[in-house]
Amino acid sequence: MDHRRLAFIGLGAMGGGMAHRLLASGYGLTVFNRTAGKAEPLVRAGARAAESPEAAAAGHRVVLLSLSDEQAVEEVLFGRVVPVLEPGALVVDTSTVSPAFAREAAGRLAGEGLRRVEACVVGNPPQARQGGLRVFVSGDEADLAEVRPVLDALGSQVLHLGAPGTASSLKVVLNLLLGAQVASMAEAVSYGVAAGLDRDRIISTVAESGFSSMVMRFRADLMLRGSYEPAFFRTDLMEKDIGIATRAARELGLDLPVLDTVRERFASVVAAGDGAKDASVIVDHPA
């Protein structure tokens, strides 16, 4: 079995970027995406397109996933991919799911004689394409060692956190901070405009201040340009990820009232029809 040949399923903004990076790093890829057109740039770059998830995964020892949510992982991985994998095959799942789902998925795959590396990625699509992601990993150390060259191609940092679910937990922590910062920025702008200040002056001032961060400056630039498509982090995925976090917190006996409100704000943007746009679009949706 050729260890330089991989299957990659899910070619959205992040998945597509990672797939391009792997091709550029010398890996051979068989790819699948539900919207077939997203595979075409990869095919032009040398990938082989498959007509189904099972066709993409069959015959590969390592299968990478970048799917939108737990339902997609359930349908694609457990419904279609698992039946065609050979014993000992390894699934590298970069999808953002809840820690509980991550633990359950690892156990279910082990019961089928398969392995799972939880590889939560932090960054944006350009970073994915350039190999500049941060990769948080959970799972067995031997499994990590087997796919370490693949992860090193994707990330400038690969951090092993331990048992299944721990990487998802840390990814959730960062997504909570991201959502809270973007939402608070939008509300601060709303107040400033209502108080008679110039919108762009407010955004620029915040971005240049000590209250800013790399994340805030990046989002401020999108807000100033009104550049929300293609999305770097879709609003509907932001709402989904914050929901994962608040539910996980409740399972641990914690309340996150600030983040509950943030999730509701992003949910209102989704309901207004801007779910596919970058989360920065929340600045155009005053509460």
Side-chain angles (χ1 to χ4, degrees):
M1 190 174 291
D2 186 354
H3 287 220
R4 298 289 296 181
R5 285 214 61 86
L6 311 168
F8 204 115
I9 299 171
L11 305 173
M14 291 295 287
M18 287 187 282
H20 275 287
R21 174 63 180 176
L22 292 172
L23 282 174
S25 301
Y27 286 93
L29 293 187
T30 302
V31 299
F32 172 80
N33 192 74
R34 183 176 55 184
T35 304
K38 291 186 177 180
E40 292 175 1
L42 289 158
V43 172
R44 290 195 295 270
R48 183 171 60 197
E51 295 183 354
S52 66
E54 48 268 52
H60 289 88
R61 181 173 178 82
V62 177
V63 178
L64 289 96
L65 301 180
S66 180
L67 302 173
S68 59
D69 54 30
E70 294 174 6
Q71 180 179 345
V73 174
E74 182 69 38
E75 293 174 356
V76 173
L77 175 59
F78 291 103
R80 304 184 68 173
V81 169
V82 165
V84 305
L85 294 179
E86 297 179 10
L90 200 158
V91 175
V92 179
D93 195 351
T94 71
S95 313
T96 301
V97 299
S98 69
F101 186 90
R103 291 189 292 269
E104 178 191 348
R108 290 168 67 186
L109 288 176
E112 299 285 346
L114 304 168
R115 299 173 292 157
R116 181 181 188 271
V117 165
E118 181 180 336
C120 299
V121 296
V122 177
N124 57 43
Q127 290 171 324
R129 191 158 183 157
Q130 297 159 9
L133 299 172
R134 299 174 68 195
V135 186
F136 301 146
V137 183
S138 297
D140 185 84
E141 289 189 10
D143 297 339
L144 169 60
E146 184 171 331
V147 295
R148 184 64 189 248
V150 175
L151 300 177
D152 283 339
L154 297 175
S156 57
Q157 179 193 45
V158 178
L159 180 63
H160 186 212
L161 292 164
T166 52
S168 293
S169 293
L170 188 53
K171 174 70 180 289
V172 160
V173 167
L174 296 182
N175 281 350
L176 287 176
L177 291 173
L178 172 60
Q181 288 184 64
V182 175
S184 63
M185 173 81 155
E187 292 198 358
V189 171
S190 293
Y191 163 74
V193 169
L197 299 173
D198 177 75
R199 173 189 183 275
D200 289 358
R201 172 62 67 187
I202 299 165
I203 295 172
S204 297
T205 300
V206 172
E208 295 164 2
S209 74
F211 297 99
S212 191
S213 63
M214 290 180 63
V215 166
M216 292 285 269
R217 287 191 293 274
F218 183 81
R219 254 64 205 188
D221 180 62
L222 298 182
M223 291 173 180
L224 286 170
R225 294 188 288 116
S227 179
Y228 308 125
E229 295 180 289
F232 289 90
F233 195 146
R234 286 172 38 170
T235 301
D236 54 0
L237 297 181
M238 178 74 79
E239 189 274 334
K240 182 264 295 185
D241 288 356
I242 295 174
I244 284 174
T246 54
R247 288 190 294 273
R250 283 194 289 272
E251 291 170 4
L252 296 173
L254 298 173
D255 288 323
L256 303 180
V258 171
L259 278 306
D260 281 331
T261 301
V262 170
R263 188 201 62 76
E264 291 172 3
R265 285 285 289 116
F266 282 110
S268 70
V269 178
V270 174
D274 278 347
K277 295 181 180 179
D278 190 87
S280 305
V281 76
I282 193 173
V283 76
D284 293 341
H285 292 263

